Amino acid sequence: MYAEGGETVDRYAAESDRLIKKARKDRPAIEDFYEMSEAEQGFFCEIAENPAAYSANEVAAQKLMSEGIQDEIDEQYQLLVAIPPQAYKIANANNPQQKNNKRARRGHLSDDTVRLLHKKAKLLQKDPKYRKTHPLEYKAMQKEIARACMSDFNKFVDKILIGMNAAEKAGDHKELRRLLELVGKKAKKAGGYAKPTTDADGNKMFDVEKEAEQWAVHLQQVFDEDDLEKDRTPWATLPAGARAPLQNFDRAKLVKIVHWLKKGKAGGKDQTVIETFLAAPALLEELFEMTETIYRTEQTPKTYNDILQFMLYKGGGKDKEDRSSFRPLSMIQVARKLMALYLLLQLQSEIPDTFFPETTQGFREIRGCDDVIGILDMIMDRMIDFKQDITIVFIDLAGAFDTCSWRALDVALEAAKASVKSRAMFRALYRDARGIARASKPNGRTADSEPYPIKKSVLQG
């Protein structure tokens, strides 16, 4: 609905605007904070980080304002989470097509094909023996559905080919690769519901709540500090007086980021997706306001850093009763993604290109696996031409993502000359991160665990 446009989207945008105006409250603490100078705002953040270095009066005043800001920013975030489904429900109330089509349209299927599938489902629901009692009619219906699906697929491929031609002419290699992946993806092997059937004590699990609880116990151990992490130097106190010059917040970057975020992706724990904001200018403006407040105050809403985690079986014949045979898929809130990408742009502008050696390829702009493979291919050809021996070593680090240290990254950011403000925001996004394990059954039943702390790792989406 959000991406297709039309009257429903217009109604959704209007309802979002109306609901925000109705529910929005005054935010005196945030307003008082914005009236402070940049130096005073920086001083506010410094007291929160290291209260022992300041007087009792300064700490008390900062704490009072901080508590007010926390309440207001929590209210603002809950507003952003609650309004989209309310506005959608009101905007879609008089849409008969949406009322009848309970199943969402998926992939490249057209509305006509979806209607045929719904017709078949209703017939079988009304008469489960329809295929036996009306074999000719059922066979004809199957053929009609097959023809419709093939026609839709051909149109889907033609659209991709046109897009590839346009991307090639424009020199857009990223878009070309994306379109190639759409037609070249291999079907995944079965095992989507593969999971342990016993708990840590070897007892059989029958309810989904128990599964979620057991995954939470496992993941808390994975993301807890190990002996190596505990031996690291504690988080260093950031230097005083260094935040103010970089307090400026660039809204234009946020506009770019929301259009960079991929559409059609599942949301995090709050269930919002980027389309909900792009379709409603009032909601998007509210999101931008909250993001700027988070950046300036270095305070996040209480559930902002909650990461919803699903477990995926790694395959390869690994033991399905062993929980290390699974990896967590982390679903991050759209609002948090926005802040993280803003921070990334800040870091890219602050860290000089010369900080990384040319041999470092990972997570660098305009660098990818194609470049590394191409260089390796050229080296191999050259060595063969000169009749020289060459040894190639592939190293797969065990738990490379799970063991990533945030404190070590903070030290690296300091060495890379990242600003104090960027380091402070990095800490704000990660030091209070919590995971929530979600378990599911094939029948669609799900359950979420209680939150558990995440103290290290790269959260893989």
Side-chain angles (χ1 to χ4, degrees):
M1 186 281 287
Y2 302 115
E4 292 175 359
E7 292 181 5
T8 304
V9 172
D10 292 339
R11 289 197 299 270
Y12 167 76
E15 283 301 324
S16 298
D17 184 50
R18 183 183 69 81
L19 290 170
I20 283 178
K21 289 177 179 177
K22 181 180 177 181
R24 200 179 194 278
K25 300 176 183 177
D26 291 336
R27 296 172 186 144
I30 292 176
E31 290 172 6
D32 288 346
F33 180 85
Y34 273 85
E35 288 177 2
M36 296 162 60
S37 67
E38 288 190 353
E40 289 172 331
Q41 291 178 12
F43 185 64
F44 170 91
C45 297
E46 290 165 8
I47 297 175
E49 182 194 13
N50 187 24
Y54 299 89
S55 70
N57 288 338
E58 289 172 330
V59 172
Q62 190 277 342
K63 184 179 179 181
L64 184 64
M65 176 176 277
S66 178
E67 289 173 350
I69 290 172
Q70 189 64 54
D71 289 341
E72 291 170 12
I73 207 171
D74 285 339
E75 177 270 331
Q76 188 175 22
Y77 183 55
Q78 290 308 314
L79 201 66
L80 287 170
V81 172
I83 283 179
Q86 293 178 36
Y88 176 78
K89 185 177 180 180
I90 296 170
N92 212 35
N94 298 318
N95 189 338
Q97 183 179 359
Q98 290 293 331
K99 282 184 178 180
N100 295 330
N101 294 350
K102 292 184 179 179
R103 289 185 61 185
R105 173 178 160 184
R106 295 182 178 181
H108 52 266
L109 297 182
S110 66
D111 291 335
D112 290 338
T113 305
V114 171
R115 277 192 283 271
L116 287 172
L117 291 169
H118 286 174
K119 179 182 176 182
K120 174 187 171 183
K122 286 180 179 179
L123 279 172
L124 293 176
Q125 186 179 13
K126 186 177 181 181
D127 182 7
K129 296 182 180 180
Y130 182 82
R131 68 186 71 189
K132 292 182 179 180
T133 57
H134 301 77
L136 296 177
E137 291 87 342
Y138 183 78
K139 188 175 181 179
M141 182 170 58
Q142 287 286 79
K143 285 184 177 180
E144 186 179 7
I145 291 173
R147 283 195 296 268
C149 289
M150 182 57 69
S151 175
D152 289 345
F153 181 73
N154 289 336
K155 291 176 183 177
F156 170 70
V157 173
D158 288 343
K159 186 177 179 181
I160 288 178
L161 292 174
I162 293 170
M164 288 172 63
N165 185 44
E168 187 175 12
K169 288 180 179 179
D172 190 346
H173 300 297
K174 286 186 178 180
E175 177 65 8
L176 193 60
R177 184 182 299 174
R178 185 188 71 80
L179 292 170
L180 279 169
E181 287 175 352
L182 288 177
V183 291
K185 280 184 178 178
K186 294 181 180 179
K188 292 185 177 180
K189 294 181 180 179
Y193 283 104
K195 56 191 173 183
T197 57
T198 58
D199 61 19
D201 299 323
N203 301 316
K204 282 284 185 181
M205 297 185 298
F206 297 101
D207 57 77
V208 71
E209 291 79 13
K210 182 70 173 177
E211 289 183 24
E213 175 192 324
Q214 288 297 303
W215 278 123
V217 171
H218 169 72
L219 290 171
Q220 185 165 357
Q221 294 173 348
V222 171
F223 296 124
D224 197 8
E225 293 184 340
D226 52 22
D227 292 337
L228 177 63
E229 190 66 14
K230 289 175 182 177
D231 289 339
R232 291 187 188 277
T233 304
W235 293 90
T237 302
L238 297 172
R243 283 175 168 88
L246 287 165
Q247 282 287 103
N248 293 330
F249 190 83
D250 189 356
R251 287 280 187 101
K253 288 182 180 178
L254 293 184
V255 175
K256 290 181 181 179
I257 292 168
V258 293
H259 289 94
W260 288 345
L261 288 172
K262 290 183 179 179
K263 315 301 183 293
K265 294 291 183 179
K269 176 63 177 169
D270 64 14
Q271 297 185 324
T272 58
V273 293
I274 188 59
E275 290 90 337
T276 63
F277 298 105
L278 290 175
L283 271 177
L284 190 61
E285 179 61 25
E286 194 76 12
L287 176 63
F288 287 174
E289 282 186 19
M290 185 187 74
T291 304
E292 181 169 1
T293 301
I294 290 170
Y295 181 80
R296 289 183 177 275
T297 63
E298 298 171 18
Q299 292 183 219
T300 60
K302 289 176 183 176
T303 58
Y304 185 81
N305 290 322
D306 285 354
I307 313 298
L308 188 63
Q309 297 188 308
F310 300 83
M311 302 307 297
L312 295 181
Y313 177 55
K314 294 178 182 178
K318 294 181 173 63
D319 182 6
K320 294 174 184 176
E321 295 299 327
D322 182 0
R323 295 183 186 275
S324 62
S325 300
F326 297 75
R327 79 166 182 89
L329 177 68
S330 299
M331 310 300 289
I332 300 170
Q333 337 268 35
V334 168
R336 190 178 188 273
K337 284 183 184 179
L338 185 65
M339 186 72 258
L341 287 171
Y342 184 89
L343 177 59
L344 175 63
L345 292 180
Q346 287 288 91
L347 290 171
Q348 286 177 339
S349 67
E350 293 168 3
I351 298 174
D353 293 336
T354 54
F355 177 74
F356 296 104
E358 279 299 311
T359 52
T360 302
Q361 306 288 335
F363 301 100
R364 299 186 72 172
E365 191 175 9
I366 321 179
R367 296 286 183 93
C369 292
D370 292 352
D371 302 290
V372 181
I373 293 170
I375 293 169
L376 182 61
D377 182 55
M378 288 189 287
I379 292 173
M380 290 171 62
D381 286 344
R382 187 65 59 88
M383 296 298 283
I384 292 170
D385 289 342
F386 287 111
K387 295 181 169 45
Q388 297 291 318
D389 293 334
I390 181 171
T391 301
I392 301 173
V393 180
F394 295 90
I395 300 174
D396 183 11
L397 299 175
F401 285 93
D402 295 343
T403 56
C404 181
S405 169
W406 296 343
R407 276 183 281 178
L409 283 175
D410 183 61
V411 172
L413 288 173
E414 182 181 21
K417 309 299 182 187
S419 71
V420 169
K421 187 64 181 179
S422 291
R423 289 175 61 199
M425 283 311 305
F426 168 76
R427 296 180 181 194
L429 286 176
Y430 286 92
R431 285 169 74 170
D432 296 325
R434 303 188 306 175
I436 297 172
R438 173 168 290 180
S440 62
K441 292 283 189 183
N443 62 8
R445 283 193 62 213
T446 63
D448 293 347
S449 72
E450 291 296 316
Y452 45 86
I454 298 178
K455 298 182 179 179
K456 60 179 172 63
S457 89
V458 175
L459 302 172
Q460 300 179 73

